[in-house]
Amino acid sequence: MKKCVLVSGGAGFIGSHVTVELIEAGYDVIVADNLSNCDLTCFEGVKKITGRDDLAFHKVDFCDASATDELFSSNRIDAVIHFAGFKAVGESVSEPLKYYRNNLTSFINVIEACRRRGCSNILFSSSATVYGEPDSVPVTEQSPRKPATSSYGNTKQMCEDILRDSVQAYSEIRGIALRYFNPIGAHPSALIGELPRGVPNNLVPFITQTAIGKRECLSVFGNDYPTPDGTCQRDFIDIVDLAKAHVFAVRRMLEGKMKNEYEIFNVGTGKPLSVMELITRFEAANGLKLNYKFAPRREGDVVAIWADPSLANAELGWKAERDIDDTLAAAWAWEKHLAE
């Protein structure tokens, strides 16, 4: 019998790509989302990519404990990947209670439903924001977690702790936290990709929206950082590579291959790229010139961070493979698809 994976927040950017990879790896998938930060565009794209017209969508708010429990009680769920949560860093600074209430409550409800309904395997969508401004780069899983620079980042740290403590307290639960670096790009089919509501919070949608004329000018926040070209350095990872890491992690849990009941893995390329380098590579990959300007530094931005992904490479058997130019070409193809 096929194993079944619940993807909470499965209609969003990362969730939709993970759903594709899970289906293509032979899993049954249940997609659930409250559509507070997305619509069904990517879900419909997932059905086209996978040929799964019968893929079920459940509109569920995971902050509703009874609705969450009902989803678990009416389906056989072997593992859950938890994405559902608010994710705008800037908004989290101005509306912290909104973020704490939503992101913590939803995850607690998922863990409680897992315990009640016999689902032992929980994969949490964490973030490199937990490292803050690191003492040294690249960061390993043993690098210290620094005080978060935003409520969003703090909820990632707190959810990691909630999962760790739950695993320690409840013998029936296992957990993995994947710490993502900077997911970018779109599926090569151009049928799913990043679809921000309103003003994008992430760099690549800003780039593609500027390229297509939705936005007049791209602002580069800060060109006086202590980096080779003065702009921030990040670990940009292709969204499909990132999605595949979840398949490896879920398989590790379901096949009983975990070495500890709670594990953490960095999911990145290990190769830093500056903001200006990314812009230049986008222009070259797509034969475009972008209108951009330098703007003052943005509060909360880390100067430079990138992953040491060697633990995930060795333990999960996963490695980032896609070329950055292909990633940026896919992002542009997705933007053009949206404009059709």
Side-chain angles (χ1 to χ4, degrees):
M1 185 185 289
K2 280 185 176 182
K3 297 290 188 181
C4 180
V5 182
L6 167 64
V7 182
S8 79
F13 174 45
I14 302 177
S16 59
H17 286 82
V18 169
T19 298
V20 167
E21 297 305 320
L22 287 167
I23 290 170
E24 293 187 343
Y27 293 100
D28 279 336
V29 182
I30 296 169
V31 177
D33 203 301
N34 69 355
L35 302 179
S36 65
N37 197 41
C38 62
D39 57 27
L40 289 173
T41 302
C42 285
F43 178 74
E44 293 300 326
V46 169
K47 292 201 294 188
K48 287 178 186 169
I49 292 166
T50 60
R52 285 285 308 276
D53 285 337
D54 61 337
L55 184 63
F57 175 80
H58 299 263
K59 189 172 183 185
V60 175
D61 184 345
F62 289 92
C63 287
D64 182 334
S66 60
T68 303
D69 190 65
E70 169 62 24
L71 181 65
F72 276 80
S73 66
S74 56
N75 294 278
R76 181 188 56 80
I77 297 169
D78 298 295
V80 57
I81 304 178
H82 185 66
F83 295 108
F86 295 146
K87 61 177 186 176
V89 173
E91 182 190 51
S92 81
V93 174
S94 58
E95 295 192 58
L97 294 182
K98 174 181 176 180
Y99 275 68
Y100 289 123
R101 182 179 295 112
N102 184 80
N103 293 9
L104 302 184
T105 304
S106 61
F107 193 38
I108 290 167
N109 287 343
V110 165
I111 296 172
E112 286 183 327
C114 283
R115 290 192 66 216
R116 271 196 300 270
R117 304 299 174 182
C119 173
S120 300
N121 305 290
I122 303 171
L123 197 164
F124 176 61
S125 155
S126 192
S127 164
T129 57
V130 302
Y131 295 116
E133 187 77 66
D135 295 327
S136 60
V137 282
V139 290
T140 72
E141 290 79 0
Q142 280 69 50
S143 297
R145 293 191 327 182
K146 296 295 190 67
T149 56
S150 68
S151 299
Y152 162 76
N154 206 17
T155 65
K156 290 297 186 186
Q157 292 185 350
M158 293 168 82
C159 284
E160 282 191 0
D161 294 345
I162 289 167
L163 181 56
R164 178 201 64 208
D165 293 351
S166 297
V167 165
Q168 286 176 351
Y170 312 125
S171 60
E172 68 271 29
I173 286 179
R174 293 181 292 275
I176 291 179
L178 296 183
R179 291 175 176 168
Y180 314 151
F181 282 71
N182 290 74
I184 61 168
H187 194 269
S189 66
L191 291 171
I192 57 175
E194 194 165 3
L195 188 59
R197 284 190 165 176
V199 179
N201 290 298
N202 296 333
L203 176 60
V204 170
F206 239 119
I207 287 175
T208 58
Q209 289 187 10
T210 303
I212 210 159
K214 274 188 197 171
R215 308 210 169 268
E216 192 177 324
C217 186
L218 171 69
S219 293
V220 177
F221 298 106
N223 64 340
D224 58 350
Y225 284 102
T227 59
D229 65 13
T231 63
C232 292
Q233 290 177 305
R234 293 290 182 269
D235 189 334
F236 295 102
I237 176 166
D238 185 275
I239 185 63
V240 176
D241 276 338
L242 180 87
K244 288 179 188 295
H246 296 74
V247 178
F248 283 87
V250 163
R251 187 178 295 137
R252 181 178 176 86
M253 286 198 286
L254 292 174
E255 293 181 358
K257 301 272 181 67
M258 293 174 67
K259 292 182 177 173
N260 298 292
E261 296 299 292
Y262 175 61
E263 297 180 333
I264 298 166
F265 297 100
N266 284 338
V267 182
T269 67
K271 299 169 186 169
L273 211 61
S274 76
V275 171
M276 275 313 303
E277 284 175 318
L278 192 78
I279 290 169
T280 304
R281 294 288 286 269
F282 178 85
E283 290 178 329
N286 296 299
L288 298 164
K289 286 302 289 180
L290 282 174
N291 184 29
Y292 65 85
K293 67 179 180 186
F294 293 112
R297 291 185 183 192
R298 190 170 53 178
E299 190 179 354
D301 275 347
V302 170
V303 176
I305 186 167
W306 62 92
D308 177 345
S310 54
L311 187 67
N313 299 164
E315 289 295 324
L316 296 180
W318 166 88
K319 197 172 192 299
E321 294 175 340
R322 281 179 58 78
D323 182 79
I324 189 69
D325 296 326
D326 294 338
T327 301
L328 294 169
W332 178 231
W334 162 245
E335 188 69 58
K336 289 187 289 185
H337 170 75
L338 289 174
E340 288 171 359

